[in-house]
Coordinates of all heavy atoms in Angstrom, one line a residue:
V1 N 0.8 -1.2 0.0 CA 0.0 0.0 0.0 C 0.9 1.3 0.0 O 1.8 1.4 0.8 CB -0.9 0.0 1.2 CG1 -1.8 1.3 1.2 CG2 -1.8 -1.2 1.2
G2 N 0.6 2.1 -1.0 CA 1.3 3.5 -0.9 C 0.2 4.5 -0.8 O -1.0 4.2 -1.1
V3 N 0.6 5.7 -0.3 CA -0.2 6.8 -0.1 C 0.3 8.1 -0.9 O 1.5 8.3 -0.7 CB -0.5 7.1 1.4 CG1 -1.4 8.5 1.4 CG2 -1.1 6.1 2.1
F4 N -0.5 8.7 -1.7 CA 0.0 9.8 -2.5 C -0.9 11.0 -2.2 O -2.2 10.8 -2.4 CB 0.0 9.5 -4.0 CG 0.3 10.6 -4.9 CD1 1.6 11.2 -4.8 CD2 -0.5 11.0 -5.9 CE1 2.0 12.3 -5.6 CE2 -0.2 12.1 -6.7 CZ 1.0 12.7 -6.6
I5 N -0.4 12.1 -1.8 CA -1.2 13.3 -1.5 C -0.8 14.4 -2.4 O 0.4 14.6 -2.6 CB -0.9 13.7 0.0 CG1 -1.0 12.5 1.0 CG2 -1.7 14.9 0.4 CD1 -0.3 12.8 2.3
A6 N -1.8 15.1 -3.0 CA -1.5 16.1 -4.0 C -2.4 17.2 -3.9 O -3.6 17.1 -4.4 CB -1.5 15.5 -5.4
Y7 N -2.0 18.3 -3.4 CA -2.7 19.5 -3.5 C -2.0 20.6 -4.4 O -0.9 20.3 -4.9 CB -2.8 20.2 -2.1 CG -3.6 19.5 -1.1 CD1 -3.0 18.5 -0.2 CD2 -4.9 19.7 -0.9 CE1 -3.7 17.9 0.7 CE2 -5.7 19.0 0.0 CZ -5.0 18.0 0.9 OH -5.8 17.4 1.8
K8 N -2.5 21.7 -4.6 CA -1.9 22.6 -5.6 C -0.5 23.1 -5.1 O 0.4 23.3 -6.0 CB -2.8 23.8 -5.8 CG -2.3 24.8 -7.0 CD -3.4 25.8 -7.3 CE -3.0 26.6 -8.5 NZ -4.0 27.7 -8.8
W9 N -0.4 23.3 -3.9 CA 0.9 23.8 -3.3 C 1.6 22.9 -2.3 O 2.4 23.3 -1.6 CB 0.6 25.2 -2.6 CG 0.1 26.2 -3.6 CD1 0.9 26.8 -4.6 CD2 -1.1 26.9 -3.7 NE1 0.2 27.7 -5.2 CE2 -1.2 27.8 -4.6 CE3 -2.3 26.7 -2.9 CZ2 -2.3 28.6 -4.9 CZ3 -3.4 27.4 -3.2 CH2 -3.3 28.4 -4.2
S10 N 1.1 21.6 -2.2 CA 1.7 20.8 -1.2 C 1.4 19.3 -1.6 O 0.3 19.0 -2.1 CB 1.2 21.1 0.1 OG 2.0 20.7 1.1
G11 N 2.3 18.5 -1.4 CA 2.1 17.0 -1.7 C 3.2 16.1 -1.2 O 4.2 16.7 -0.8
E12 N 3.0 14.9 -1.1 CA 4.0 13.9 -0.6 C 3.5 12.5 -0.8 O 2.3 12.3 -1.3 CB 4.3 14.1 1.0 CG 5.6 14.7 1.2 CD 6.9 13.9 1.0 OE1 6.8 12.8 0.3 OE2 7.9 14.1 1.6
A13 N 4.3 11.6 -0.6 CA 3.9 10.1 -0.7 C 4.7 9.3 0.3 O 5.7 9.7 0.8 CB 4.3 9.6 -2.1
Y14 N 4.0 8.2 0.7 CA 4.8 7.3 1.6 C 4.3 5.9 1.4 O 3.2 5.7 0.9 CB 4.6 7.7 3.1 CG 3.2 7.7 3.7 CD1 2.6 6.6 4.3 CD2 2.4 8.9 3.6 CE1 1.4 6.6 4.9 CE2 1.2 8.9 4.1 CZ 0.6 7.8 4.8 OH -0.7 7.8 5.3
R15 N 5.1 4.9 1.9 CA 4.8 3.6 1.8 C 4.3 3.1 3.1 O 4.9 3.4 4.2 CB 6.0 2.7 1.4 CG 5.9 1.3 1.4 CD 5.0 0.7 0.3 NE 5.9 0.6 -0.9 CZ 5.4 0.3 -2.1 NH1 4.1 0.0 -2.2 NH2 6.1 0.2 -3.2
V16 N 3.2 2.3 3.1 CA 2.6 1.9 4.4 C 3.2 0.6 4.9 O 3.3 -0.3 4.1 CB 1.0 1.7 4.2 CG1 0.4 1.1 5.5 CG2 0.4 3.0 3.8
I17 N 3.6 0.5 6.2 CA 4.2 -0.7 6.7 C 3.0 -1.6 7.1 O 2.1 -1.2 7.8 CB 5.1 -0.4 7.9 CG1 6.2 0.6 7.5 CG2 5.6 -1.6 8.5 CD1 7.0 1.1 8.6
P18 N 3.0 -2.8 6.7 CA 1.9 -3.8 7.1 C 1.9 -4.0 8.6 O 2.9 -3.8 9.4 CB 2.4 -5.1 6.5 CG 3.4 -4.8 5.4 CD 4.1 -3.6 5.9
V19 N 0.6 -4.2 9.1 CA 0.4 -4.4 10.5 C 1.4 -5.5 11.1 O 1.8 -5.4 12.2 CB -1.1 -4.7 10.8 CG1 -1.2 -5.2 12.3 CG2 -2.0 -3.6 10.4
E20 N 1.6 -6.5 10.3 CA 2.4 -7.6 10.8 C 3.8 -7.2 11.2 O 4.5 -7.8 11.9 CB 2.5 -8.7 9.7 CG 1.2 -9.5 9.5 CD 0.4 -8.8 8.4 OE1 0.6 -7.6 8.1 OE2 -0.5 -9.4 7.7
W21 N 4.3 -6.1 10.6 CA 5.7 -5.7 10.8 C 5.8 -4.3 11.6 O 6.9 -3.7 11.5 CB 6.4 -5.7 9.4 CG 6.4 -7.0 8.9 CD1 5.7 -7.5 7.9 CD2 7.3 -8.1 9.3 NE1 6.0 -8.9 7.6 CE2 7.0 -9.2 8.5 CE3 8.2 -8.3 10.3 CZ2 7.6 -10.5 8.7 CZ3 8.9 -9.5 10.4 CH2 8.5 -10.6 9.7
L22 N 4.7 -3.9 12.0 CA 4.8 -2.7 12.8 C 5.4 -3.0 14.2 O 5.5 -4.2 14.6 CB 3.4 -2.1 13.2 CG 2.7 -1.5 11.9 CD1 1.3 -1.1 12.2 CD2 3.5 -0.3 11.3
G23 N 6.0 -2.0 14.9 CA 6.7 -2.2 16.1 C 6.1 -1.4 17.4 O 5.0 -0.8 17.2
K24 N 6.8 -1.5 18.4 CA 6.3 -0.9 19.6 C 7.2 0.3 20.1 O 7.0 0.8 21.1 CB 6.3 -2.0 20.8 CG 5.4 -3.1 20.5 CD 5.4 -4.2 21.7 CE 4.6 -5.4 21.3 NZ 4.7 -6.4 22.4
E25 N 8.3 0.5 19.3 CA 9.2 1.6 19.7 C 9.6 2.3 18.3 O 10.0 1.7 17.4 CB 10.4 1.2 20.5 CG 11.4 2.3 20.8 CD 12.6 1.9 21.6 OE1 12.9 0.7 21.5 OE2 13.3 2.8 22.2
Y26 N 9.6 3.7 18.4 CA 9.9 4.5 17.2 C 10.6 5.7 17.6 O 10.5 6.2 18.8 CB 8.5 5.0 16.5 CG 7.8 3.9 15.9 CD1 6.9 3.1 16.6 CD2 7.9 3.6 14.5 CE1 6.2 2.1 16.0 CE2 7.1 2.6 13.9 CZ 6.3 1.8 14.6 OH 5.6 0.9 14.0
F27 N 11.4 6.3 16.7 CA 11.9 7.6 16.7 C 11.5 8.3 15.5 O 11.1 7.7 14.4 CB 13.5 7.6 16.8 CG 13.9 7.1 18.2 CD1 14.0 5.8 18.5 CD2 14.2 8.0 19.2 CE1 14.5 5.2 19.7 CE2 14.6 7.5 20.5 CZ 14.8 6.1 20.7
T28 N 11.5 9.6 15.4 CA 10.8 10.4 14.3 C 11.8 11.3 13.5 O 12.9 11.7 14.1 CB 9.7 11.2 14.8 OG1 10.2 12.3 15.7 CG2 8.7 10.4 15.5
L29 N 11.5 11.6 12.3 CA 12.1 12.5 11.5 C 11.1 13.7 11.3 O 10.0 13.5 11.0 CB 12.4 12.0 10.0 CG 13.4 10.8 10.0 CD1 13.4 10.2 8.6 CD2 14.8 11.3 10.3
N30 N 11.6 14.9 11.5 CA 10.8 16.1 11.4 C 11.5 17.2 10.8 O 12.5 17.1 10.1 CB 10.2 16.5 12.7 CG 9.4 15.4 13.4 OD1 9.8 14.6 14.2 ND2 8.1 15.3 12.9
M31 N 11.1 18.5 11.0 CA 11.8 19.7 10.5 C 11.4 20.9 11.5 O 10.5 20.8 12.2 CB 11.4 19.9 9.1 CG 11.9 21.3 8.5 SD 13.8 21.3 8.4 CE 14.1 20.2 7.1
Y32 N 12.2 22.0 11.4 CA 12.0 23.1 12.3 C 10.7 23.8 11.9 O 10.1 23.6 10.9 CB 13.1 24.0 12.3 CG 13.5 24.5 10.8 CD1 12.7 25.0 10.0 CD2 14.8 24.4 10.4 CE1 13.0 25.4 8.7 CE2 15.3 24.8 9.2 CZ 14.4 25.3 8.3 OH 14.8 25.7 7.1
Q33 N 10.2 24.5 12.9 CA 9.0 25.4 12.7 C 9.3 26.4 11.6 O 10.3 27.0 11.4 CB 8.7 26.2 14.0 CG 7.6 27.3 13.9 CD 7.5 28.1 15.1 OE1 7.4 27.6 16.2 NE2 7.8 29.4 15.0
D34 N 8.3 26.5 10.6 CA 8.4 27.4 9.6 C 7.2 28.4 9.6 O 6.3 28.3 10.4 CB 8.5 26.7 8.1 CG 9.3 27.4 7.2 OD1 9.4 28.7 7.3 OD2 9.8 26.8 6.2
Y35 N 7.1 29.3 8.6 CA 6.0 30.3 8.6 C 5.9 30.9 7.3 O 6.8 30.8 6.4 CB 6.4 31.4 9.6 CG 7.5 32.3 9.2 CD1 7.3 33.5 8.6 CD2 8.8 31.9 9.0 CE1 8.3 34.4 8.1 CE2 9.8 32.6 8.6 CZ 9.6 33.9 8.0 OH 10.6 34.7 7.5
V36 N 4.7 31.5 7.0 CA 4.4 32.4 5.9 C 3.8 33.6 6.4 O 3.1 33.5 7.5 CB 3.6 31.7 4.8 CG1 4.4 30.6 4.1 CG2 2.3 31.2 5.4
K37 N 3.8 34.7 5.8 CA 3.2 36.0 6.1 C 2.0 36.2 5.3 O 2.0 36.2 4.1 CB 4.3 37.1 6.0 CG 3.7 38.3 6.7 CD 4.9 39.4 6.6 CE 4.5 40.7 7.3 NZ 5.5 41.7 7.1
M38 N 0.9 36.4 5.9 CA -0.4 36.6 5.2 C -0.5 38.0 4.8 O 0.3 38.9 5.2 CB -1.6 36.2 6.2 CG -1.4 34.9 6.9 SD -1.2 33.5 5.7 CE -2.8 33.4 5.1
H39 N -1.5 38.3 3.9 CA -1.7 39.6 3.3 C -2.0 40.7 4.4 O -1.6 41.8 4.3 CB -2.9 39.6 2.4 CG -2.6 38.8 1.1 ND1 -1.6 39.2 0.2 CD2 -3.2 37.7 0.6 CE1 -1.6 38.3 -0.8 NE2 -2.5 37.4 -0.6
A40 N -2.7 40.3 5.5 CA -3.0 41.2 6.6 C -1.7 41.5 7.4 O -1.9 42.2 8.4 CB -4.1 40.7 7.4
G41 N -0.7 40.8 7.2 CA 0.5 41.0 8.0 C 0.7 40.0 9.1 O 1.7 40.0 9.8
D42 N -0.4 39.1 9.3 CA -0.3 38.1 10.3 C 0.6 36.9 9.9 O 0.8 36.7 8.6 CB -1.7 37.6 10.6 CG -2.6 38.6 11.2 OD1 -2.0 39.5 11.9 OD2 -3.8 38.5 11.0
F43 N 1.2 36.2 10.7 CA 2.0 35.1 10.4 C 1.2 33.8 10.6 O 0.4 33.6 11.6 CB 3.3 35.1 11.4 CG 4.3 36.1 11.0 CD1 4.2 37.3 11.7 CD2 5.3 35.9 10.1 CE1 5.2 38.2 11.5 CE2 6.2 36.8 9.8 CZ 6.2 38.0 10.4
E44 N 1.4 32.9 9.7 CA 0.8 31.6 9.8 C 2.0 30.6 10.0 O 2.8 30.4 9.2 CB 0.1 31.2 8.4 CG -0.6 29.9 8.5 CD -1.3 29.7 7.1 OE1 -2.3 30.4 6.9 OE2 -1.0 28.7 6.5
Y45 N 1.9 29.9 11.1 CA 3.1 29.1 11.5 C 2.9 27.7 11.2 O 1.8 27.1 11.2 CB 3.3 29.2 13.0 CG 3.6 30.6 13.5 CD1 2.6 31.4 14.1 CD2 4.9 31.2 13.2 CE1 2.9 32.7 14.5 CE2 5.2 32.5 13.6 CZ 4.2 33.2 14.2 OH 4.4 34.6 14.6

């Protein structure tokens, strides 16, 4: 099973691990907080 996500300005894909091979301990990959500035001058984090 694969998952494909596609919006006009954002998308990604990932492969689903079968239930038989899932585990009980994980560590994660992420990224720092980012932001965009809206027309009204407000920030969207």
